Coordinates of all heavy atoms in Angstrom, one line a residue:
T227 N -24.6 58.0 15.5 CA -23.4 58.3 16.4 C -22.5 59.3 15.8 O -21.7 59.9 16.5 CB -22.7 57.0 16.7 OG1 -22.3 56.3 15.6 CG2 -23.7 56.1 17.6
F499 N -27.2 59.1 24.8 CA -26.7 59.2 23.3 C -25.8 60.4 23.1 O -24.9 60.3 22.3 CB -27.9 59.2 22.4 CG -27.6 58.8 21.0 CD1 -27.3 57.5 20.7 CD2 -27.6 59.8 20.0 CE1 -27.0 57.1 19.4 CE2 -27.3 59.4 18.7 CZ -27.0 58.1 18.4
T500 N -26.1 61.4 23.8 CA -25.2 62.6 23.7 C -23.8 62.3 24.1 O -22.8 62.7 23.4 CB -25.7 63.8 24.6 OG1 -27.1 64.1 24.2 CG2 -24.9 64.9 24.5
E501 N -23.7 61.5 25.2 CA -22.4 61.2 25.6 C -21.7 60.2 24.7 O -20.5 60.3 24.4 CB -22.5 60.4 27.0 CG -21.2 59.8 27.5 CD -21.4 58.8 28.6 OE1 -22.4 58.8 29.3 OE2 -20.5 57.9 28.8
I502 N -22.4 59.3 24.1 CA -21.9 58.4 23.1 C -21.4 59.1 21.9 O -20.3 58.8 21.3 CB -22.9 57.3 22.7 CG1 -23.2 56.3 24.0 CG2 -22.4 56.4 21.6 CD1 -24.4 55.4 23.9
R503 N -22.2 60.0 21.4 CA -21.8 60.8 20.2 C -20.5 61.5 20.5 O -19.5 61.5 19.6 CB -22.8 61.8 19.9 CG -23.9 61.4 18.9 CD -24.9 62.5 18.6 NE -25.7 62.2 17.5 CZ -26.8 63.0 17.2 NH1 -27.1 64.0 17.9 NH2 -27.6 62.6 16.2
Q504 N -20.4 62.1 21.6 CA -19.2 62.8 22.0 C -17.9 61.9 22.1 O -16.9 62.2 21.5 CB -19.3 63.5 23.3 CG -18.1 64.3 23.8 CD -17.8 65.5 22.8 OE1 -18.7 66.1 22.3 NE2 -16.5 65.7 22.7
R505 N -18.2 60.7 22.6 CA -17.1 59.7 22.7 C -16.6 59.3 21.3 O -15.5 59.1 21.0 CB -17.5 58.5 23.6 CG -16.4 57.5 23.7 CD -16.5 56.5 24.7 NE -16.2 57.1 26.0 CZ -17.0 57.4 27.0 NH1 -18.3 57.3 26.8 NH2 -16.6 58.0 28.1
V506 N -17.6 59.0 20.4 CA -17.3 58.6 19.1 C -16.4 59.7 18.3 O -15.4 59.3 17.7 CB -18.6 58.4 18.2 CG1 -18.3 58.2 16.7 CG2 -19.3 57.1 18.7
A507 N -16.7 60.9 18.5 CA -16.0 62.0 17.9 C -14.6 62.0 18.4 O -13.6 62.1 17.7 CB -16.6 63.4 18.1
E508 N -14.4 61.9 19.7 CA -13.1 61.9 20.4 C -12.3 60.6 20.0 O -11.1 60.7 19.8 CB -13.2 62.0 21.9 CG -13.9 63.3 22.4 CD -14.2 63.3 23.9 OE1 -14.1 62.2 24.5 OE2 -14.7 64.3 24.4
E509 N -13.0 59.5 20.0 CA -12.2 58.2 19.8 C -11.7 58.3 18.3 O -10.7 57.7 18.0 CB -13.1 57.1 20.0 CG -13.3 56.8 21.5 CD -12.1 56.0 22.0 OE1 -12.0 54.8 21.9 OE2 -11.3 56.7 22.6

Side-chain angles (χ1 to χ4, degrees):
T227 59
F499 198 70
T500 300
E501 173 194 338
I502 293 168
R503 269 182 170 170
Q504 181 62 36
R505 178 166 283 105
V506 166
E508 293 171 354
E509 285 282 277

